[in-house]
Amino acid sequence: YLESDLSAEVLSYLPESMRLDIMIRVAKLDTVQPDALLELNNILERQFAGSSSAQKRRIGGTKVAADIMTNLDGSIETEIMDALTEVDEGLSTTIQDLMFVFANLLDVDDRGIQSLLREVATEVLVVALKGADDELREKIFTNMSDRAASMLQEELELLGPTKISTVEKAQNKIISICKHLEDSGAIAMDRGEALV
């Protein structure tokens, strides 16, 4: 029922011993018995005294699991993916293939990158690019004006050493914006899917 970023936050607060089991259940969940869904919905409505629009969207499956995994802290993501690989390598591979990571920005076309850049604060972009490879940095720079690219490169040089967790947080913020733009149809991703 929760958005993937909130699901990831909830998952990170749960005991380590429960995380893998929950991710497997989410990934394998496709449909829910209507009675169970109605009962859960009633409980949630009583709990939050609001109406739920969650019935209108899919509540499980490998894509939902991948979105949750994408929003997890790097160490928790690694822990769950390693454990999942041991339990069900096929499921692990499927989820990894569906996960959106910062490097996937290379799969966004130039117009999409330009749309994304209009939505991302410069200070977030600088920190996120601190952990990016040269190819991704170049893609970002070529989709900016020469002046903006030059200023961004200068800020990157001045940034100095940055904690990995800070870089990951900035990258996740950009990933979240990118996913919202993709969901709204503002940008398109080439995920290697066959076109019909």
Side-chain angles (χ1 to χ4, degrees), residues 46-119:
R46 283 194 306 270
Q47 188 73 23
F48 298 110
S51 63
S52 172
S53 62
Q55 284 180 312
K56 297 176 186 164
R57 68 181 182 94
R58 194 176 168 138
I59 60 169
T62 52
K63 179 65 179 123
V64 173
D67 288 345
I68 293 170
M69 293 295 292
T70 298
N71 285 284
L72 282 172
D73 178 68
S75 61
I76 295 173
E77 176 200 318
T78 302
E79 164 208 317
I80 293 174
M81 288 308 295
D82 289 348
L84 182 58
T85 301
E86 287 181 26
V87 173
D88 189 335
E89 191 170 348
L91 184 60
S92 172
T93 302
T94 302
I95 290 172
Q96 276 187 316
D97 289 346
L98 292 170
M99 286 175 65
F100 187 99
V101 294
F102 195 66
N104 289 129
L105 290 178
L106 286 169
D107 300 329
V108 178
D109 64 17
D110 287 346
R111 255 171 74 196
I113 292 291
Q114 292 161 16
S115 296
L116 178 65
L117 290 173
R118 285 192 286 274
E119 303 293 324

Side-chain angles (χ1 to χ4, degrees), residues 2 14 16 25 32 38 47 51 53 66 71 89 99 101 110 117 119 121 127 130 149 158 163 165 174 184:
L2 302 175
L14 295 175
E16 280 183 42
R25 288 173 187 243
V32 177
L38 183 61
Q47 188 73 23
S51 63
S53 62
N71 285 284
E89 191 170 348
M99 286 175 65
V101 294
D110 287 346
L117 290 173
E119 303 293 324
V127 175
K130 187 73 175 175
L158 294 174
K163 289 182 182 177
S165 60
I174 293 173
S184 69

Side-chain angles (χ1 to χ4, degrees), residues 3 9 15 26 34 51 66-67 75 80 134 143 145 148 154 156 164 169 172 177 195-196:
E3 292 297 324
E9 190 174 341
V26 167
S51 63
D67 288 345
S75 61
I80 293 174
D134 291 340
N143 281 288
S145 68
E154 190 175 310
L156 257 171
I164 291 174
K169 193 173 189 178
N172 284 339
I177 292 168
L195 298 175
V196 181

